[in-house]
Amino acid sequence: MSIPAVLGQLTAPTTQPTTSLHDLLLMAPLGLVALVMAVVTGVFRRDKIVGPARLTNRDSLGPLVAILGGGVVIWIIGGGLVFAALTQAGGTATHPTSQRSAVEMSTGSMALATSVPALAAGAFMIGLNAVLRPGGVRELGLAPRGAARGILRGLVGSAIAVPLIFFVAQVTEYIWEFFHYAHPREHDLLKLMGESTNPVVFALFVLSAVLIAPVFEELLFRGHLQTVIAYAIARGLGQIPGPAARGFQVVTGEPDVAPSMAEPVPAPVPSSPPASTRWAAILVTSLLFAAVHPAWTWPPILILALCLGYAYERTGNLWTSMTMHAMFNTTSTVIYLLFVR
């Protein structure tokens, strides 16, 4: 659940925007601070995005693709199975894709249906990386050794990204109101969180929003999908060699001869996608990430995804993007609980 609660406040069309230009101007100083921090940290330097390689030239993309597909299947089918089991137990027959499902299910059932599949899919993906890809968890940037540095970088990245995203959210809301576009006042899950009177269920909603969702979504979208896209493009364009480019050393039987000083030194073989390819992977992944969210949230969610994708490519550390995602969700949840519900 990476839906900021402040993205919209309307439940019906209005004749006058309720998000004033004054509100936008109040957000401007935060945006300015974020811009200054971005300049200081080198965000706008082209080559800064080129972080450590996540795959070697000997690694096939097959295992990553299989793990990615398995995670998506568990996430989707698992959600349907949990939903079906809970609704059958509760005596309802609502389909999980129904727009009325969120209000027809109990808050406890909805909390389990949104958290359990993500937990199961995330555990599956991490476990299969450890089994099928020796060192795969470390290559994806999820090794415990890199947690402290990744979290610190994520906090710095959050100071840049979160104000920017909320400014875009404010602008988006002003545009929706200007064109009298009616959308939900808040995400269904946030509404259920706010209406929950059971402390255990409430805690599960919060845990899902600020921890489970960021970990799983970053593992799925940035760790696997973005990596697969970046390396597939780079290998397809011949920017880096893939496993098929390997061969066997040809033995001619000739005696070894020391190379002449005049012979050119062969250029090192690249093992990491260039900046342009990394940006292409970030853009495709970000568009897909936004597409799984409600349409009225697309502009700020796209900015969020671009920031997360950039942070991951630059650092090669999933802890960084997970921290930024968690900070954004936490901020959104706190704002909703304190000022919206």
Side-chain angles (χ1 to χ4, degrees), residues 175-195:
I175 293 173
W176 291 159
E177 292 176 351
F178 182 83
F179 288 102
H180 309 303
Y181 172 65
H183 58 75
R185 184 171 179 266
E186 67 275 308
H187 191 272
D188 285 340
L189 298 183
L190 285 177
K191 181 178 180 181
L192 289 172
M193 179 192 299
E195 293 176 350

Side-chain angles (χ1 to χ4, degrees), residues 50-66:
V50 182
R54 299 195 292 278
L55 295 175
T56 69
N57 294 337
R58 299 184 301 272
D59 293 332
S60 170
L61 289 177
L64 269 182
V65 173

Side-chain angles (χ1 to χ4, degrees), residues 126 137-151 317 319:
I126 294 175
V137 176
R138 173 183 52 79
E139 288 179 352
L140 290 179
L142 201 55
R145 181 181 300 179
R149 176 178 294 185
I151 292 173
N317 193 321
W319 296 102

Side-chain angles (χ1 to χ4, degrees), residues 8-172:
Q9 304 298 326
L10 296 183
T11 54
T14 59
T15 56
Q16 295 293 332
T18 59
T19 302
S20 66
L21 290 176
H22 180 262
D23 296 328
L24 298 179
L25 292 176
L26 288 178
M27 296 290 295
L30 291 177
L32 181 60
V33 171
L35 180 62
V36 171
M37 292 187 64
V39 172
V40 171
T41 55
V43 169
F44 301 110
R45 300 177 192 172
R46 171 180 166 82
D47 293 334
K48 278 291 186 177
I49 194 177
V50 182
R54 299 195 292 278
L55 295 175
T56 69
N57 294 337
R58 299 184 301 272
D59 293 332
S60 170
L61 289 177
L64 269 182
V65 173
I67 296 170
L68 172 64
V72 171
V73 169
I74 292 175
W75 182 34
I76 296 176
I77 295 182
L81 292 176
V82 172
F83 186 95
L86 292 172
T87 52
Q88 183 177 8
T92 64
T94 306
H95 191 274
T97 58
S98 170
Q99 296 180 351
R100 298 165 52 193
S101 61
V103 295
E104 292 179 352
M105 288 185 65
S106 69
T107 55
S109 298
M110 196 64 180
L112 289 174
T114 56
S115 57
V116 171
L119 275 174
F124 166 85
M125 297 175 76
I126 294 175
L128 216 57
N129 267 284
V131 173
L132 297 183
R133 303 177 60 242
V137 176
R138 173 183 52 79
E139 288 179 352
L140 290 179
L142 201 55
R145 181 181 300 179
R149 176 178 294 185
I151 292 173
L152 179 60
R153 289 176 174 176
L155 293 175
V156 174
S158 299
I160 299 173
V162 172
L164 173 63
I165 297 163
F166 275 91
F167 178 76
V168 173
Q170 197 77 13
V171 172
T172 302

